Amino acid sequence: MKLKTNIICIAIVSIIMCACNQNPKSKKHMQTAKQVTAKDILGNPNYLAISYGGYRKKSRDSQPTLEELKDDMKLLSAMGVKVLRTYNVQLPHASNILKAITELKEDDDNFEMYVMLGAWIDCLNAWTDQPIDHDVESPNNTAEIERVVALANQYPDVVKVLAVGNEAMVKWAESYYVQPSVILKWVTYLQELKENGKLPKDIWITSSDDFASWGGGEEQYHVEDLEKLIKAVDYISMHSYPYHNSHYNPEFWGVPEAENDLSDIDKIDAAIKRAIQFSKRQYDSVTNYMKSIGVNKPIHIGETGWATVSKGFYGPNGSKATDEYKQGLYYKLMREWTNSAGISCFYFEAFNEQWKDAQHPNGSENHFGLFTIDGKAKYPIWDLVDTNVFDGLTRNGNPISKTYNGDKAALMKDVLVPPALNEIMANR
């Protein structure tokens, strides 16, 4: 009887081992979950990062379908993107992205995509007609953090970073910003969950905010709670937008007198190169502040981007920063800098989204994508269309084509030269 039992046990073990050996997909997923961590991904140029929203309509009440999300994931994967950033878990969007990625991985052993999952953080009465209190946090924050934790535990092979808040400390976010103590509270809470085995041990915790909020700006941000926060996060995720600063801090943007004799295209190229230097200075300012308080941690770029349409501050009647040519050059140079420097850059953003400024179709916030909503590739990625990486892929049922029908001469007709620096300074 004992011999018979042993034979049965050996047979069962053999069947299990055989099944595992014959299912390389399961084996690979197990290995991926163990081997690929935030530390491996962030700063690795083989894991390009991007900010992603899949909304097609003018309201987030219309959620993208699972199949639409899968179509987007395939397009981004074809570009070499392997890390996405999301912003909140109040709506089904983020959880559906995680589900879409998981199903794609199950269908294709070679599919690889990870997520920096964001928790939206507000102050009391944010986005309401009630008096806003920036010193008290919204009661909704607790549930948001709970949802993030649940998703991180449900999808540990996909979620590699948790971000507490998006531009939630910067003072110009007047509709909702909180004090650093609120972000610190939740970062500390998540770190404690990780230490106690209630979150994956290799997940990284951060907050994603404007460079100024991380100490790179005015003295008003240099507070004790920020120092504690920098010590509490696993890395700093900072934002840098030369595009917006072409209006608000335009000294770097205007054509200096020494360049007056350059051709128009050379003036434009030089302005974009100065924009990259502007971002580098902001990055260095955060680095210097961090080191001044005795900390040395990775710093990555959680957002930067360039819009292609604007009728406002950045358009023909403003800084003249807006068009696809400038976006293309900025994207190219930003990727070159960050890849070579070992900095992850969550470029903003993958696709145009029209809900961001639904009442103004030509508002710049609707036009930061590298793709249009209907699946046209903008100038920064025309070369990927030429190399056929999108063959067989679609968005909204449309095969991927180029904006301007690929006619660069037509595109360049919409490209404006930045104003002269002395003109900018005279009008300030």
Side-chain angles (χ1 to χ4, degrees), residues 40-314:
D40 302 321
I41 292 169
L42 294 176
N44 186 338
N46 294 320
Y47 289 85
L48 289 184
I50 207 161
S51 294
Y52 171 72
Y55 294 103
R56 272 79 165 163
K57 305 299 183 181
K58 290 186 176 181
S59 169
R60 288 187 294 176
D61 291 339
S62 179
Q63 289 283 311
T65 67
L66 198 61
E67 290 307 310
E68 287 175 332
L69 294 174
K70 286 183 179 179
D71 286 346
D72 288 353
M73 298 301 103
K74 292 174 184 177
L75 288 170
L76 296 175
S77 180
M79 292 173 59
V81 170
K82 293 182 181 179
V83 194
L84 305 182
R85 182 185 169 199
T86 65
Y87 290 80
N88 72 77
V89 288
Q90 302 158 352
L91 301 170
H93 186 256
S95 59
N96 285 340
I97 290 171
L98 297 175
K99 184 177 181 181
I101 291 172
T102 299
E103 291 186 4
L104 287 169
K105 290 174 69 175
E106 290 170 352
D107 293 340
D108 180 359
D109 288 341
N110 295 317
F111 188 83
E112 190 177 15
M113 192 73 73
Y114 306 98
V115 171
M116 173 182 175
L117 191 65
W120 191 267
I121 299 297
D122 282 327
C123 68
L124 185 65
N125 297 328
W127 315 104
T128 71
D129 58 1
Q130 300 300 309
I132 294 174
D133 190 340
H134 294 293
D135 294 320
V136 180
E137 70 170 316
S138 167
N140 299 326
N141 293 347
T142 299
E144 180 78 346
I145 294 294
E146 289 175 352
R147 287 188 289 265
V148 161
V149 171
L151 288 171
N153 284 323
Q154 184 178 355
Y155 297 98
D157 60 328
V158 179
V159 179
K160 299 299 175 182
V161 179
L162 298 182
V164 179
N166 174 66
E167 295 176 345
M169 297 183 290
V170 69
K171 306 302 183 185
W172 48 251
E174 296 178 354
S175 300
Y176 66 96
Y177 82 78
V178 298
Q179 302 302 335
S181 59
V182 173
I183 304 300
L184 174 63
K185 165 191 168 182
W186 290 118
V187 167
T188 301
Y189 172 74
L190 294 174
Q191 294 287 23
E192 288 173 351
L193 289 184
K194 187 166 62 171
E195 290 174 8
N196 294 327
K198 296 180 180 179
L199 273 173
K201 64 182 178 62
D202 291 322
I203 200 167
W204 275 13
I205 314 297
T206 190
S207 180
S208 205
D209 217 309
D210 186 74
F211 88 104
S213 301
W214 285 113
E218 303 95 314
E219 289 290 331
Q220 64 175 321
Y221 292 101
H222 297 176
V223 297
E224 184 179 357
D225 283 334
L226 177 61
E227 293 186 20
K228 292 179 179 178
L229 178 61
I230 290 174
K231 293 172 183 177
V233 295
D234 291 302
Y235 78 98
I236 290 173
S237 176
M238 60 158 277
H239 299 184
S240 178
Y241 275 99
Y243 175 79
H244 292 136
N245 281 281
S246 69
H247 168 76
Y248 289 103
N249 297 288
E251 290 84 355
F252 79 94
W253 180 245
V255 177
E257 186 175 353
E259 295 179 4
N260 283 345
D261 294 332
L262 294 180
S263 67
D264 286 352
I265 194 66
D266 285 342
K267 289 177 181 177
I268 294 166
D269 290 355
I272 296 297
K273 289 175 182 177
R274 290 195 300 273
I276 297 294
Q277 293 303 316
F278 183 89
S279 278
K280 288 182 177 181
R281 288 193 295 273
Q282 291 190 332
Y283 185 91
D284 289 344
S285 70
V286 174
T287 302
N288 292 338
Y289 178 75
M290 175 187 71
K291 290 183 176 179
S292 76
I293 61 171
V295 179
N296 188 12
K297 291 183 177 180
I299 301 174
H300 299 291
I301 295 179
E303 264 191 36
T304 191
W306 205 275
T308 55
V309 174
S310 173
K311 295 299 183 184
F313 290 147
Y314 321 105

